[in-house]
């Protein structure tokens, strides 16, 4: 007791009562064998000091002040929580996939770890000791055979080769479903295995081609990455304010509506369309008929590069529209050409395109007016522009503000084309048939319309169309011979007897 009346007590340890201090001993006592045996007996009497897991699993409440035991208990609890989290992440990562990823190598195995699962339960994720794992096929030694005498087995043995072929199926691509034959004693002959292998490779090549074609082609209402980049550059440069969406699709192109901006300090029309020519030739395979014999593009035509053909196709429409605009024919105005993208003025109002002539419900007077407008445009196109539309029908004529507008002239050719007059006869057939069905009494027959547009005087026999076509083919043959003889680019077809040629419009 001190002067203030307080009793001095030894402070208690937070881990429990402090053991009495061990008496000091000399070096000779420490080195004695009797002391070593005494310490060994004490350790056997208290196994929890060396294996804290035993006391924890046995459920005994141990009051200890050993820091080592507490550290081991905490480490064991931490490892158990870590393993539980790994199992949870493993289930989340794999989901319901047939091919799973195992985190078994990252877990901590304790010799006395008590798992909550029963002993009979098999963790299917742990494949280190999988009893159903197929055995590796028998490997033939370097000398090429095993055994001796009658029991010799070479590398060409039918059973051995069949098992090897079955094991090789595991090397096929993941998308090839080989089934569960790997775990069976399945034997495939060389012929069957080679057929499967060839089929697997061909399917991989076909899949790669389809993927590459899809990535590098302009499909229905969609564009490839190159085209998207061109459109993005137009918007970034300020040529276009924004692109609103697709308004029309056809066999040769996809049409998008956009708002114009500025191009080289010149305003672009407020509403324009982007005509993106398709880079696939699946839907319009006969494009070369219209371009390879056109003298303007004959030297640049190449059948080996489809993308360059598409660019020529877009350039061809630009030149044809320039001729038509110069002659005063109602048609879209070209604002810009970028590779296979053509920016044209929009025929319509407030994002609503003008209807096609086939979709309009015109009265008798308007339909008659439309017929005479089409007749005049066909004459101007042939005589002033020196062009044949080659695809003229009610699908390529728009009705806007009481006027017929011509569109889609990328396939238009000159009359000197080897099939130019045949294309014109087909146009006349489409126009005459449409207006006659719509009740226009003034609509001429196909033969009369052809003579009216061309200024020719071919013999008309209503009952014999083949005779009329024969005259057209003879005239085309005569024009082709004339071009080859004189080396001229064009030869006007004004009449049978070689009347004075028409004045050709200059190509803009």
């Amino acid at each position: 007791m001190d002067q203030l009346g307080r009793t001095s007590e030894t402070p208690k340890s937070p881990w429990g009562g402090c053991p009495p201090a061990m008496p000091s001993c000399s070096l000779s006592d420490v080195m004695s064998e009797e002391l070593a045996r005494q310490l060994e007996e004490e350790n056997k009497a208290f196994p929890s000091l060396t294996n804290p897991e035993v006391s924890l699993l046995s459920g005994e409440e141990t009051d200890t002040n050993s820091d080592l035991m507490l550290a081991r208990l905490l480490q064991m609890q931490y490892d158990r929580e870590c393993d539980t989290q790994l199992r949870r992440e493993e289930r989340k990562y794999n989901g319901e996939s047939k091919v799973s990823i195992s985190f078994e190598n990252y877990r901590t195995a304790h010799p006395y770890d008590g798992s909550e699962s029963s002993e009979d339960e098999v963790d299917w994720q742990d494949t280190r000791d999988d009893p159903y794992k197929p055995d590796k096929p028998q490997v033939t030694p370097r000398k090429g055979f095993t055994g001796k005498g009658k029991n010799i087995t070479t590398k060409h043995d039918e059973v051995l080769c069949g098992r090897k072929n079955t094991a090789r199926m595991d090397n096929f691509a993941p998308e090839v479903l080989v089934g569960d034959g790997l775990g069976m004693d399945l034997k495939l002959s060389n012929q069957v295995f080679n057929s499967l292998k060839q089929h697997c490779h061909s399917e991989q090549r076909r899949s790669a081609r389809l993927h590459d074609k899809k990535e590098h082609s302009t499909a229905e209402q969609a564009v490839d990455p190159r085209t998207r980049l061109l459109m993005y550059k137009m918007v970034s440069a300020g040529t276009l304010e924004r692109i609103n969406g697709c308004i029309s699709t056809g066999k040769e192109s996809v049409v998008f509506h956009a708002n114009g901006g500025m191009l080289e300090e010149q305003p672009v029309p407020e509403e324009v369309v982007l005509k993106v020519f398709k880079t696939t030739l699946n839907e319009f395979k006969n494009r070369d008929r219209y371009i390879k014999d056109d003298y303007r593009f004959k030297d640049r035509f190449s059948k080996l590069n489809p993308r360059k053909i598409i660019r020529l196709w877009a350039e061809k429409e630009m030149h044809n529209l320039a001729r038509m605009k110069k002659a005063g024919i109602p048609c879209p105005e070209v604002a810009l050409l970028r590779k296979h993208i053509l920016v044209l003025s929009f025929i319509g109002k407030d994002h609503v395109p003008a209807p096609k002539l086939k979709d309009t419900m015109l009265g008798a007077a308007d339909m008659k007016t439309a017929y005479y407008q089409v007749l005049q445009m066909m004459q101007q196109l042939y005589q002033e522009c020196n062009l044949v539309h080659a695809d003229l029908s009610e699908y390529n004529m728009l009705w806007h503000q009481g006027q017929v507008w011509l569109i889609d002239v990328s396939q238009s050719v000159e009359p000197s084309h080897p099939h130019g007059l045949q294309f014109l006869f087909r146009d006349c057939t489409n126009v005459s048939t449409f207006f006659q069905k719509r009740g226009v009494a003034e609509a001429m027959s196909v033969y009369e319309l052809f003579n009216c547009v061309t200024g020719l005087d071919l013999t008309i026999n209503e009952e014999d169309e083949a005779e009329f076509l024969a005259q057209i083919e003879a005239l085309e043959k005569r024009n082709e011979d004339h071009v080859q003889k004189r080396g001229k680019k064009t030869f006007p077809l004004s009449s049978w007897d070689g009347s004075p040629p028409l004045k050709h419009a200059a190509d803009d």
Side-chain angles (χ1 to χ4, degrees):
M1 181 178 294
D2 59 4
Q3 298 177 357
L4 298 178
R6 293 177 297 183
T7 303
S8 59
E9 297 179 356
T10 303
K12 295 182 178 181
S13 172
W15 305 105
C18 296
M22 297 292 294
S24 59
C25 57
S26 62
L27 179 61
S28 60
D29 294 336
V30 173
M31 299 298 294
S32 65
E33 296 181 1
E34 296 179 359
L35 180 60
R37 284 194 295 269
Q38 181 183 356
L39 292 176
E40 185 178 359
E41 292 176 356
E42 290 178 356
N43 288 336
K44 291 181 179 180
F46 301 97
S48 61
L49 293 177
T50 55
N51 291 326
E53 294 88 346
V54 176
S55 61
L56 180 65
L57 297 176
S58 61
E60 300 177 358
E61 296 183 2
T62 305
D63 186 11
T64 180
N65 58 355
S66 174
D67 293 342
L68 175 61
M69 178 178 178
L70 292 172
R72 288 181 177 179
L73 290 174
L74 291 175
Q75 182 65 39
M76 180 178 176
Q77 182 64 22
Y78 172 78
D79 292 340
R80 179 179 293 178
E81 294 178 358
C82 181
D83 292 347
T84 304
Q85 181 64 22
L86 281 175
R87 290 189 181 95
R88 189 181 298 113
E89 291 291 336
E90 185 177 324
R91 287 193 297 268
K92 179 180 178 181
Y93 185 84
N94 293 325
E96 298 180 357
S97 176
K98 294 182 179 179
V99 180
S100 60
I101 304 298
S102 176
F103 297 160
E104 189 70 24
N105 293 335
Y106 295 96
R107 296 174 186 167
T108 304
H110 290 274
Y112 302 99
D113 189 6
S115 177
E116 298 178 358
S117 61
S118 61
E119 296 181 358
D120 296 335
E121 183 179 356
V122 178
D123 187 5
W124 66 275
Q125 297 286 359
D126 188 3
T127 57
R128 290 178 295 182
D129 298 320
D130 187 4
Y132 301 101
K133 187 175 181 180
D135 298 331
K136 293 184 179 180
Q138 183 179 358
V139 180
T140 306
R142 279 191 175 182
K143 57 185 179 180
F145 64 91
T146 58
K148 294 181 179 180
K150 296 181 179 180
N151 298 326
I152 189 171
T153 303
T154 65
K155 62 180 180 181
H156 302 292
D157 183 70
E158 183 178 359
V159 176
L160 186 61
C161 289
R163 289 173 178 167
K164 284 184 178 180
N165 292 336
T166 303
R168 289 174 185 170
M169 288 198 304
D170 197 21
N171 299 326
F172 287 173
E175 58 268 16
V176 180
L177 305 177
V178 296
D180 56 354
L182 300 179
M184 307 177 185
D185 190 16
L186 184 64
K187 294 175 281 292
L188 290 180
S189 64
N190 292 336
Q191 182 179 3
V192 174
F193 175 77
N194 291 334
S195 300
L196 290 175
K197 184 178 179 180
Q198 185 178 3
H199 174 73
C200 177
H201 290 172
S202 62
E203 285 297 315
Q204 284 183 289
R205 290 194 297 267
R206 187 181 69 87
S207 178
R209 286 196 302 269
L210 291 177
H211 177 74
D212 183 73
K213 189 175 183 180
K214 184 177 181 180
E215 286 294 323
H216 298 85
S217 64
T218 305
E220 191 77 10
Q221 299 185 8
V223 292
D224 60 333
R226 296 183 183 180
T227 306
R228 284 197 298 269
L229 181 59
L230 288 176
M231 298 167 69
Y232 174 77
K233 288 182 178 180
M234 291 183 187
V235 177
S236 300
T239 305
L240 303 175
E241 290 291 336
R242 62 176 177 271
I243 300 175
N244 300 313
C246 178
I247 60 175
S248 178
T249 59
K251 63 188 178 187
E252 65 174 17
S253 63
V254 182
V255 182
F256 295 88
H257 181 274
N259 294 104
M262 298 291 293
L263 177 63
E264 298 179 356
E265 299 182 357
Q266 297 294 328
V268 179
E270 182 178 355
E271 289 187 277
V272 295
V273 295
L274 273 70
K275 187 170 183 179
V276 182
F277 288 87
K278 294 183 178 180
T279 54
T280 56
L281 301 177
N282 294 336
E283 300 182 43
F284 198 5
K285 297 182 179 179
N286 57 345
R287 287 177 173 175
D288 55 342
R289 291 183 57 198
Y290 300 88
I291 194 171
K292 71 177 181 179
D293 293 316
D294 194 325
Y295 78 90
R296 296 173 295 176
F297 308 96
K298 188 173 183 178
D299 297 335
R300 298 163 55 190
F301 176 77
S302 174
K303 209 171 184 180
L304 301 178
N305 194 334
R307 280 195 172 270
K308 290 186 178 180
I309 297 177
I310 304 305
R311 295 179 188 178
L312 289 180
W313 199 256
E315 183 181 348
K316 191 168 184 281
E317 177 156 3
M318 181 190 68
H319 288 298
N320 292 339
L321 287 174
R323 286 191 182 186
M324 295 169 61
K325 203 68 180 178
K326 189 174 182 179
I329 299 176
C331 64
E333 184 176 357
V334 179
L336 179 65
L337 172 64
R338 284 289 184 273
K339 294 186 177 180
H340 61 284
I341 300 179
L342 199 59
V343 182
L344 306 173
S345 59
F346 179 65
I347 303 177
K349 187 177 181 182
D350 297 334
H351 297 197
V352 180
K356 298 177 182 178
L357 198 59
K358 76 176 186 68
D359 298 328
T360 58
M361 302 298 295
L362 302 180
D366 289 338
M367 189 59 68
K368 180 180 178 180
T369 302
Y371 171 74
Y372 283 111
Q373 290 178 1
V374 173
L375 176 60
Q376 181 181 1
M377 285 189 291
M378 293 179 69
Q379 291 175 334
Q380 286 182 285
L381 197 64
Y382 184 88
Q383 298 176 8
E384 298 180 24
C385 301
N386 194 34
L387 288 175
V388 174
H389 191 284
D391 192 24
L392 188 62
S393 66
E394 62 272 19
Y395 293 89
N396 291 330
M397 292 184 285
L398 305 181
W399 180 258
H400 181 59
Q401 297 179 348
Q403 177 68 47
V404 177
W405 296 67
L406 295 184
I407 60 173
D408 293 345
V409 293
S410 56
Q411 72 287 330
S412 299
V413 298
E414 294 193 346
S416 58
H417 189 279
H419 305 288
L421 294 183
Q422 296 182 31
F423 295 153
L424 178 60
F425 182 78
R426 186 177 61 191
D427 292 347
C428 294
T429 303
N430 296 335
V431 171
S432 178
T433 302
F434 171 73
F435 284 102
Q436 288 178 0
K437 288 183 178 180
R438 289 298 181 97
V440 179
E442 292 79 5
M444 293 182 286
S445 64
V446 179
Y447 313 104
E448 294 173 346
L449 182 60
F450 182 88
N451 286 338
C452 181
V453 171
T454 60
L456 301 175
D457 189 16
L458 301 183
T459 305
I460 298 176
N461 187 356
E462 298 286 348
E463 298 180 357
D464 192 358
E465 180 180 343
E467 180 182 352
F468 195 84
L469 291 176
Q471 298 180 62
I472 293 177
E473 292 176 2
L475 187 57
E476 289 176 340
K477 185 66 171 59
R478 179 186 177 189
N479 173 64
E480 186 177 357
D481 295 341
H482 180 87
V483 171
Q484 292 178 355
K485 180 186 295 186
R486 300 194 178 186
K488 293 184 178 181
K489 294 180 179 179
T490 59
F491 177 67
L493 305 172
S494 302
S495 64
W496 266 109
D497 53 358
S499 59
L502 297 172
K503 184 179 180 181
H504 297 164
D507 189 2
D508 193 357

